[in-house]
Amino acid sequence: MSVEFIKKSLNEKQRAEENNKVKAVVENTLKEIELKGDSYVRELSEKFDKYSPSSFRLSEDEISKLVDEVSDNDKEDIRFAQKQVRSFAEAQLKSLSEIEVETQPGVILGHKNIPVQSVGCYVPAGKFPMVASAHMSVVTASVAGVPRIIATTPPYQGKPNAAVVTAMKMGGAHEIYVLGGMQGVGAMAIGTETIEPVDMIVGPGNAYVAEAKRQLFGKVGIDLFAGPTEIAVIADETADPEMVAYDLVGQAEHGYNSPAWLFTKSKKIADYVLQRVPELIEDLPDLPRENSGAAWRDYGEVILCDTDEEIAKVSDDYAPEHLEVQTKNLQWYHDRLKNYGSLFIGEETTVAYGDKCSGTNHILPTKGAGKYTGGLFVGKFIKTLSFQRMSKEATKEVGAACARISRYEGMEAHARTGDVRLRKYGFSN
C-alpha cells in the first residue's frame, strides 16, 4: 500500500506564515473596535469598502427599496432555496427532543431546548454576493426560534447588494447592516454605540472573518471554524473525469486559498484532471479565473492510492469541508467515511447544489474541524439546558452520597449542603 502525491499544495511553513499574518491583523482590529467602537468600524469600512453611509443599519424603507430592485424571477429562486433550507431545518428541529426522566424514586432529571437569544449572521459579498449564505444562517436561526437575528454583509461594488438584503429580509432577519469583514463580525460580537452585541456569531467568510470568529469565541459563541472553502473528490476508474475536473474548479473559484483535492486509485483519472483543470480555469471570466487559478496552483492536490480503504483513511485525515464520492461502491464509502463537513454521494449531486439550494447547510467545518464537529444546523442555535427536581425522600440517599463524595474531595462546604437537608427532613447521615 502507498500514497503518492502527484500534485502537492503549499508546505506547512508557508501556510503558518500566512496564518500568523492574519492572526496579528485581526487581533489588533478587534482591540481597536473594543476601544473606539463606531468610529473605528467606520474607518475600516471607508478603508476596505469605500463605504461610509449615515447609518450602517438599513432602515425598513431602504430595505423595501432594495427588495423592489430584485426581479420576480430572482425572488422566486430565493423562495425556492429558502423553502428547501427551512424544510430540512424544521425536520432537524423535530428530532431534538426534550426529556424528563425519573432515574430513581423522587429523582427527576431532564433537559429543555431553548434557542440562543441573539445571533449575528455574517453573509459574504466582497468578491461574490453570497445570496445563499443568508438562507443558511438567517433561515436556520429563524426556524430555531431565535428572537433577535441580525445580519451583516459587505457592500458590493460600493452599495448594498439588493439580492443579499432581500434574502436576509425574506429569511427572517430583524436587523440588517451593511458592514464587511472583520469590522462586521467584530461589531456584532463586541458591540458599539449603535449596535447591541449578540450572543453568537455564525456564517462563512475569508481568512480574516474566520480568524475573527476564532478570537471572539468565548466572548460569544460561534457556529464553527468556517474559513476558506475546501472540496475533495473521491473518484475511481468508473468516474466521469470531466465531471470530476469541473467540480474541483467549481469550488476553487471561491478564493485564492481554497483547497481542491482529488483522492483516487486511477492514474488515468489523475492524469486527466491534471491536464483538464487548468484548461477549465483558463476558460473562466476574469475573477473566477484569478481565484481558481491561484487556488489550484497553491492549494490543489492529487493523491494516488492503492485501495479504497487507503483512500478512506486519507480522506478522514484531511476531513474535507465538502466531500464528493464518485465511485462504483457508493454505499461502502457512505458507511466507512467518518470525517467531513457534508457528503455528496454519486455524480448526480455536486457541492454547488448544497452551496446554493438543495437544502443542506453550506456553513461547514474547514481545516480539519470535521474531525470533531459537523456543520451549522438548527441545533447549533439551541441550548440544551438540564434541570432537576427531587422529593424529600430522595435526599436520604442522594444527600448522604453527596456529603460523602464531597468529603472525599475535601470540600466540606459542599458536604454540609447535603447534611443540612438530611437533618431538616429527618434523616441521619
Side-chain angles (χ1 to χ4, degrees), residues 7 22 50 63 80 96 101 156-157 224 344 390 409:
K7 183 183 185 306
V22 171
K50 308 295 187 292
I63 292 170
F80 171 80
L96 303 178
V101 295
Y156 180 69
Q157 298 179 350
L224 43 85
F344 300 80
M390 290 197 186
E409 298 172 343

Side-chain angles (χ1 to χ4, degrees), residues 158-179:
K159 62 180 182 178
N161 182 269
V164 171
V165 171
T166 298
M168 290 172 165
K169 182 64 176 177
M170 290 171 63
H174 304 114
E175 303 166 28
I176 298 175
Y177 297 83
V178 184
L179 272 174

Side-chain angles (χ1 to χ4, degrees), residues 124-146:
K127 291 184 177 179
F128 302 104
M130 299 294 288
V131 177
S133 285
H135 317 329
M136 305 301 171
S137 56
V138 176
V139 170
T140 309
S142 180
V143 170
V146 176

Side-chain angles (χ1 to χ4, degrees), residues 247-266:
D247 287 358
L248 290 168
V249 175
Q251 203 64 13
E253 80 170 327
H254 271 280
Y256 75 94
N257 54 356
S258 295
W261 304 313
L262 171 63
F263 311 141
T264 185
K265 296 185 299 181
S266 170

Side-chain angles (χ1 to χ4, degrees), residues 70-141:
V70 179
S71 71
D72 290 341
N73 286 341
D74 288 344
K75 286 176 186 170
E76 191 56 41
D77 284 338
I78 290 171
R79 289 190 191 94
F80 171 80
Q82 292 193 348
K83 180 181 178 182
Q84 297 293 105
V85 173
R86 184 174 287 108
S87 295
F88 190 49
E90 288 171 346
Q92 290 177 316
L93 184 62
K94 289 178 182 177
S95 74
L96 303 178
S97 301
E98 296 187 347
I99 62 169
E100 183 173 315
V101 295
E102 190 168 19
T103 57
Q104 66 179 61
V107 179
I108 296 124
L109 311 178
H111 71 235
K112 292 180 66 177
N113 294 326
I114 298 174
V116 174
Q117 293 300 287
S118 59
V119 169
C121 302
Y122 182 76
V123 179
K127 291 184 177 179
F128 302 104
M130 299 294 288
V131 177
S133 285
H135 317 329
M136 305 301 171
S137 56
V138 176
V139 170
T140 309

Side-chain angles (χ1 to χ4, degrees), residues 12-301:
E12 291 302 318
K13 182 179 179 182
Q14 290 173 288
R15 288 179 180 174
E17 289 173 354
E18 185 175 292
N19 290 340
N20 287 336
K21 290 177 184 177
V22 171
K23 180 179 178 181
V25 170
V26 170
E27 186 173 11
N28 181 67
T29 299
L30 296 179
K31 286 179 181 177
E32 291 296 310
I33 290 174
E34 193 159 12
L35 287 170
K36 300 177 182 177
D38 282 332
S39 65
Y40 193 66
V41 168
R42 184 170 296 278
E43 182 181 327
L44 293 177
S45 183
E46 291 172 349
K47 177 181 177 180
F48 294 119
D49 295 323
K50 308 295 187 292
Y51 185 73
S52 185
S54 57
S55 172
F56 289 105
R57 180 175 176 177
L58 295 176
S59 67
E60 287 301 316
D61 184 55
E62 288 173 318
I63 292 170
S64 294
K65 288 178 180 177
L66 288 164
V67 170
D68 288 342
E69 291 180 20
V70 179
S71 71
D72 290 341
N73 286 341
D74 288 344
K75 286 176 186 170
E76 191 56 41
D77 284 338
I78 290 171
R79 289 190 191 94
F80 171 80
Q82 292 193 348
K83 180 181 178 182
Q84 297 293 105
V85 173
R86 184 174 287 108
S87 295
F88 190 49
E90 288 171 346
Q92 290 177 316
L93 184 62
K94 289 178 182 177
S95 74
L96 303 178
S97 301
E98 296 187 347
I99 62 169
E100 183 173 315
V101 295
E102 190 168 19
T103 57
Q104 66 179 61
V107 179
I108 296 124
L109 311 178
H111 71 235
K112 292 180 66 177
N113 294 326
I114 298 174
V116 174
Q117 293 300 287
S118 59
V119 169
C121 302
Y122 182 76
V123 179
K127 291 184 177 179
F128 302 104
M130 299 294 288
V131 177
S133 285
H135 317 329
M136 305 301 171
S137 56
V138 176
V139 170
T140 309
S142 180
V143 170
V146 176
R148 178 182 176 233
I149 303 169
I150 78 172
T152 189
T153 187
Y156 180 69
Q157 298 179 350
K159 62 180 182 178
N161 182 269
V164 171
V165 171
T166 298
M168 290 172 165
K169 182 64 176 177
M170 290 171 63
H174 304 114
E175 303 166 28
I176 298 175
Y177 297 83
V178 184
L179 272 174
M182 299 174 289
Q183 62 269 27
V185 172
M188 290 192 293
I190 296 167
T192 71
E193 298 92 327
T194 58
I195 302 176
E196 183 182 346
V198 296
D199 299 322
M200 182 179 185
I201 297 288
V202 302
N206 62 20
Y208 292 91
V209 168
E211 177 61 21
K213 287 169 62 182
R214 189 190 68 79
Q215 292 188 23
L216 289 162
F217 178 62
K219 185 176 184 68
V220 294
I222 64 170
D223 45 2
L224 43 85
F225 189 88
T229 191
E230 304 163 352
I231 182 175
V233 179
I234 293 174
D236 67 10
E237 68 282 357
T238 66
D240 182 336
E242 184 79 346
M243 206 165 285
V244 171
Y246 266 95
D247 287 358
L248 290 168
V249 175
Q251 203 64 13
E253 80 170 327
H254 271 280
Y256 75 94
N257 54 356
S258 295
W261 304 313
L262 171 63
F263 311 141
T264 185
K265 296 185 299 181
S266 170
K267 184 67 161 56
K268 183 177 179 182
I269 292 281
D271 289 343
Y272 184 92
V273 166
L274 285 169
Q275 176 184 333
R276 187 64 174 137
V277 164
E279 295 172 350
L280 295 175
I281 290 171
E282 189 59 32
D283 191 47
L284 292 170
D286 289 346
L287 181 57
R289 182 173 69 249
E290 179 184 337
N291 284 349
S292 55
W296 181 248
R297 181 190 67 232
D298 294 338
Y299 292 88
E301 293 190 346

